[in-house]
């Protein structure tokens, strides 16, 4: 049976999946971090450098942008980001196995910088850094309540973290996946994760999409887990 899912509605609900209890007032995500991170921000005044008045791109409108830098050694390479419903509190990960949490500061509707940024290394089930196991390229991020999923593209695995047990210092457990995921091409595997929220078709399903894992017809492969 074909299911028609409104793309805009689906993405809006997916991006707003962070519950207030996890991100409110800087708590939740940030309650067990290891490092405070100072981040410098420079505004991007225009998306189109040739025409600052060009702000509409189809149904999207450019509101503001930031160029972010930091002296913190682990900063950069951010590959996954989720926001709360207000578009302020965030959780992000880098492709080198680091968590980042914090708050986006605004002036009216314009982003001005990041505040209260914290970081910690991503841990495996034994409490060790995932990079110590050779697990690099933490690429994708999905959230279901206090459960956070991370896709590791280089090794084609998914980790599940219970943020109610330590926030960004919680330990990741390997999620069983179909054997076809393990056969995805090296460094072209799991690129995107989305957890389908309640009220949507396929609610409760974790969707995993590959970067360049193709089927016999040349289609990019995707996988539905659970639900």
């Amino acid at each position: 049976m074909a299911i028609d899912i409104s793309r805009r509605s689906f993405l809006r609900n997916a991006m707003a999946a962070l519950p207030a209890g996890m991100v409110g007032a800087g708590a939740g995500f940030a309650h067990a971090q290891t490092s405070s991170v100072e981040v410098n921000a420079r505004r991007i005044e225009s998306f189109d450098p040739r025409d600052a008045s060009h702000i509409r791109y189809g149904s999207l409108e450019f509101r503001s942008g930031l160029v972010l830098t930091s002296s913190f050694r682990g900063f950069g390479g951010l590959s996954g980001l989720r926001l709360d419903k207000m578009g302020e509190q965030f959780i992000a990960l880098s492709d080198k196995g680091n968590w980042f949490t914090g708050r986006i500061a605004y002036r009216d509707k314009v982003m001005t910088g990041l505040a209260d940024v914290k970081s910690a290394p991503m841990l495996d089930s034994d409490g060790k850094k995932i990079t110590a196991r050779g697990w690099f390229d933490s690429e994708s991020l999905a959230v279901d309540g206090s459960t956070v999923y991370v896709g590791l593209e280089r090794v084609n695995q998914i980790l599940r973290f219970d943020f109610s047990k330590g926030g960004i210092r919680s330990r990741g457990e390997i999620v069983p996946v179909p054997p076809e995921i393990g056969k995805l091409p090296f460094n072209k595997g799991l690129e995107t994760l989305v957890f389908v929220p309640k009220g949507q078709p396929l609610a409760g399903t974790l969707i995993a999409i590959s970067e360049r894992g193709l089927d016999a017809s040349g289609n990019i492969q995707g996988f539905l887990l659970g639900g």
Side-chain angles (χ1 to χ4, degrees), residues 10-144:
F10 178 82
L11 291 176
R12 180 175 63 247
N13 284 303
M15 286 300 293
L18 306 190
M22 290 183 70
V23 296
F29 283 139
H31 77 264
Q33 63 288 93
T34 60
S35 301
S36 296
V37 180
E38 182 177 352
V39 178
N40 302 308
R42 176 171 57 85
R43 281 185 56 189
I44 299 174
E45 300 294 340
S46 172
F47 192 79
D48 185 344
R50 298 165 299 181
D51 182 5
S53 66
H54 184 195
I55 61 173
R56 295 294 302 184
Y57 299 86
S59 61
L60 303 178
E61 177 180 324
F62 175 75
R63 287 170 40 178
S64 59
L66 297 172
V67 176
L68 305 174
T69 58
S70 176
S71 60
F72 182 70
R73 183 177 180 181
F75 188 78
L78 300 180
S79 53
L81 175 73
R82 288 291 182 266
L83 301 170
D84 68 357
K85 292 182 179 181
M86 299 300 294
E88 296 177 353
Q89 300 286 341
F90 69 84
I91 176 174
L93 53 80
S94 78
D95 55 12
K96 294 185 179 180
N98 290 312
W99 294 110
F100 291 92
T101 64
R103 175 175 57 85
I104 300 175
Y106 291 87
R107 182 178 297 114
D108 296 325
K109 294 184 179 180
V110 176
M111 295 186 295
T112 59
L114 302 185
D116 307 323
V117 179
K118 307 293 182 181
S119 180
M122 202 171 292
L123 304 179
D124 66 10
S125 59
D126 296 323
K128 299 178 181 178
K129 296 180 181 179
I130 64 168
T131 53
R133 300 184 63 167
W135 291 354
F136 294 96
D137 213 359
S138 39
E139 186 72 20
S140 48
L141 179 66
V143 176
D144 170 32

Side-chain angles (χ1 to χ4, degrees), residues 96-197:
K96 294 185 179 180
N98 290 312
W99 294 110
F100 291 92
T101 64
R103 175 175 57 85
I104 300 175
Y106 291 87
R107 182 178 297 114
D108 296 325
K109 294 184 179 180
V110 176
M111 295 186 295
T112 59
L114 302 185
D116 307 323
V117 179
K118 307 293 182 181
S119 180
M122 202 171 292
L123 304 179
D124 66 10
S125 59
D126 296 323
K128 299 178 181 178
K129 296 180 181 179
I130 64 168
T131 53
R133 300 184 63 167
W135 291 354
F136 294 96
D137 213 359
S138 39
E139 186 72 20
S140 48
L141 179 66
V143 176
D144 170 32
S146 63
T147 302
V148 178
Y149 297 91
V150 172
L152 305 177
E153 182 180 5
R154 192 72 59 90
V155 294
N156 291 321
Q157 294 198 57
I158 298 174
L159 297 179
R160 179 177 53 237
F161 297 83
D162 184 352
F163 267 37
S164 69
K165 299 178 180 179
I168 57 176
R169 293 295 293 169
S170 59
R171 300 180 180 189
E173 301 285 344
I174 295 176
V175 175
V177 297
E180 288 78 10
I181 288 181
K183 298 176 183 177
L184 293 172
F186 176 74
N187 206 30
K188 296 180 181 179
L190 295 177
E191 182 74 11
T192 301
L193 292 178
V194 175
F195 190 88
V196 184

